[in-house]
Amino acid sequence: MRILLFTGKGGVGKSTVAAGTAALAAAGGHRTLVLSTDAAHSLADAFATPVGAEPTRIAEGLYAQQVDAQLRFEQSWADIQRYLLRVLEVAGVDPVAAAELTVIPGAEEVLALLELRLHAVSDEWDVIVVDCAPTAETLRLLALPEALGWYMQRVLPVERRVVKALRPVLSRAAGVPMPEDTVFDAVERLYAELEEVRALLSGPEASVRLVMTPESVVLAEARRSYTTLSLFGYRVDGVVANRIFPGADGDDWRSGWVAAQDVVLAEAAASFPGLRLWRSVYRAAEPVGVEALIDLAREVYDDTDPLATPTQDGPFRIVRTSRGAVLSLRLPGVTRADVDLGRNGDELVVTVGSYRRLLTLPAGLTRHRVTGARVQDGELQVRMEDGTS
Ligand SMILES: Nc1ncnc2c1ncn2[C@@H]1O[C@H](COP(=O)(O)OP(=O)(O)OP(=O)(O)O)[C@@H](O)[C@H]1O
Ligand SMILES: [Mg+2]
């Protein structure tokens, strides 16, 4: 099974390229599902046919689904939300304001990705294509379970026991309702599900593709996404440059754009060394419908295999040395000065700009000290050595 995610700045052609890739895979005989998690119903527009909240047949072997993010949100969050609402009510918060307070921005999108779990284990699909939200935010939010791991494994079970024992006393004394078992259950279930999806999306079967148009602001954002996605352990395996003006001769306006795009395309090639850079021309009409989408995808992938599994290592590697280990994390586009390293118990805390990842160290390394760190060839290398010697 292969999972392909498409992300990129708003309007660059994510849905089009995702739908095209899926249509091409299905035409090649793979049982393919393309799903979108955004509320804009863009897959229906791309295929020019209604797409439901359940897999909807589009063509032979090709199914599309627009996940009902709101419904997913209610299913996963309802018990927790009900509890939070009761607490806020006791605190005297207006019910309407309280309802708003219990909604986390971006959470719907993340919870919609939970749908992926069921499809991935169902054995019904060879290829799952995901048309993601505009930025890497969603995938970053998926790192939440990792960040909460310590709390979930050590603190929550204790809290749960304490609350269970003291619930009658505490509720009366504090006047604040104590969480019922169902609340703890819901938190644990959500945690486990998110963790499963994260593992799936950062695993060897999944890759992320960045879609961009040849404009410098779009390229700048694609570069940042590449860094962030790598930081959080997702494997980016290619970039699709879409809406390239055909270079035939034309007036000054046209040749001006062609020249400007050439500059950005050259910068893109230099920005993503080792990644495949696919190209797609700006068509005379919107690529809508299965035929047009397959046509676009054929041109994009040319004679490369769109489903090829990336051969490079994932973004994170550990190499043992005689005195400890060297941890390598691919961090394209950063210098050593952009990276801040810290330690938090048995976690290594890597901060790049406003993004922070907590990397849980494998058991054998938890007592090792960081003895050196450098950034080389787009990779952060952290040397860890046994603290006792
Ligand atoms: N190569 C192309 N040539 C011509 N039109 C294109 C091309 N690629 C995409 N389009 C058109 O551009 C518009 C935006 O594309 P699309 O909806 O795929 O972008 P998106 O990145 O998914 O947008 P959003 O961020 O809103 O989800 C659509 O009307 C689509 O048909
Ligand atoms: Mg879209």
Side-chain angles (χ1 to χ4, degrees), residues 292-342:
L293 291 169
I294 291 185
D295 202 52
L296 178 132
R298 283 225 165 88
E299 180 216 315
V300 168
Y301 296 108
D302 203 4
D303 49 11
T304 64
D305 176 8
L307 303 177
T309 320
T311 47
Q312 343 141 265
D313 293 316
F316 184 57
R317 272 182 306 130
I318 297 177
V319 177
R320 299 279 169 175
T321 62
S322 57
R323 301 189 50 200
V326 173
L327 279 64
S328 304
L329 180 64
R330 198 175 310 132
L331 276 182
V334 305
T335 63
R336 179 65 184 87
D338 300 325
V339 184
D340 191 53
L341 280 178

Side-chain angles (χ1 to χ4, degrees), residues 9-16 38 134 242-243 280-283 285-288 296:
K9 208 171 158 64
V12 293
K14 295 177 294 294
S15 302
T16 303
D38 79 23
N242 186 30
R243 293 225 207 101
S280 167
V281 298
Y282 206 141
R283 310 213 146 206
E286 289 184 311
V288 167
L296 178 132

Side-chain angles (χ1 to χ4, degrees), residues 42-349:
S42 40
L43 287 179
D45 294 336
F47 288 119
T49 180
V51 172
E54 294 297 319
T56 308
R57 189 180 182 279
I58 305 291
E60 178 71 36
L62 177 63
Y63 288 76
Q65 176 181 12
Q66 305 200 122
V67 179
D68 186 340
Q70 183 65 37
L71 182 70
R72 243 353 205 123
F73 182 82
E74 278 159 21
Q75 285 167 349
S76 312
W77 191 245
D79 282 328
I80 304 168
Q81 190 178 36
R82 243 192 310 278
Y83 169 67
L84 292 175
L85 284 174
R86 269 198 291 135
V87 172
L88 291 170
E89 188 190 307
V90 170
V93 176
D94 170 70
V96 176
E100 251 158 51
L101 281 175
T102 60
V103 174
I104 304 167
E108 285 188 12
E109 183 75 42
V110 174
L111 297 176
L113 279 173
L114 294 178
E115 196 76 17
L116 202 71
R117 251 174 72 245
L118 305 171
H119 289 304
V121 298
S122 75
D123 209 34
E124 274 177 59
W125 311 106
D126 303 316
V127 181
I128 300 177
V129 177
V130 187
D131 173 19
C132 292
T135 57
E137 283 306 295
T138 312
L139 295 172
R140 188 185 67 84
L141 277 176
L142 269 184
L144 207 61
E146 193 180 46
L148 290 176
W150 190 83
Y151 169 83
M152 292 298 297
Q153 275 151 32
R154 295 191 184 68
V155 183
L156 192 79
V158 177
E159 220 168 72
R160 185 176 185 142
R161 278 200 301 276
V162 170
V163 166
K164 197 179 174 83
L166 297 181
R167 189 180 293 129
V169 190
L170 278 180
S171 291
R172 234 175 297 128
V176 176
M178 287 296 124
E180 302 286 331
D181 265 347
T182 51
V183 174
F184 284 108
D185 286 344
V187 171
E188 274 170 3
R189 198 171 51 237
L190 184 57
Y191 169 77
E193 290 183 354
L194 286 169
E195 175 52 32
E196 237 179 276
V197 174
R198 193 196 61 82
L200 204 62
L201 296 186
S202 54
E205 294 174 321
S207 38
V208 183
R209 291 179 184 169
L210 301 170
V211 185
M212 59 169 281
T213 49
E215 290 148 313
S216 32
V217 286
V218 180
L219 172 61
E221 176 149 334
R223 275 209 293 248
R224 280 193 295 273
S225 291
Y226 185 27
T227 307
T228 313
L229 288 165
S230 303
L231 173 66
F232 289 107
Y234 301 102
R235 193 190 296 250
V236 177
D237 79 342
V239 177
V240 181
N242 186 30
R243 293 225 207 101
I244 302 177
F245 290 119
D249 39 36
D251 53 22
D252 288 350
W253 182 84
R254 165 101 159 249
S255 32
W257 269 113
V258 170
Q261 288 198 337
D262 278 344
V263 171
V264 180
L265 287 169
E267 273 171 36
S271 303
F272 306 110
L275 294 190
R276 288 182 288 182
L277 181 60
W278 292 292
R279 292 159 167 260
S280 167
V281 298
Y282 206 141
R283 310 213 146 206
E286 289 184 311
V288 167
V290 174
E291 289 309 311
L293 291 169
I294 291 185
D295 202 52
L296 178 132
R298 283 225 165 88
E299 180 216 315
V300 168
Y301 296 108
D302 203 4
D303 49 11
T304 64
D305 176 8
L307 303 177
T309 320
T311 47
Q312 343 141 265
D313 293 316
F316 184 57
R317 272 182 306 130
I318 297 177
V319 177
R320 299 279 169 175
T321 62
S322 57
R323 301 189 50 200
V326 173
L327 279 64
S328 304
L329 180 64
R330 198 175 310 132
L331 276 182
V334 305
T335 63
R336 179 65 184 87
D338 300 325
V339 184
D340 191 53
L341 280 178
R343 229 2 226 288
N344 177 21
D346 48 12
E347 288 165 340
L348 186 67
V349 185

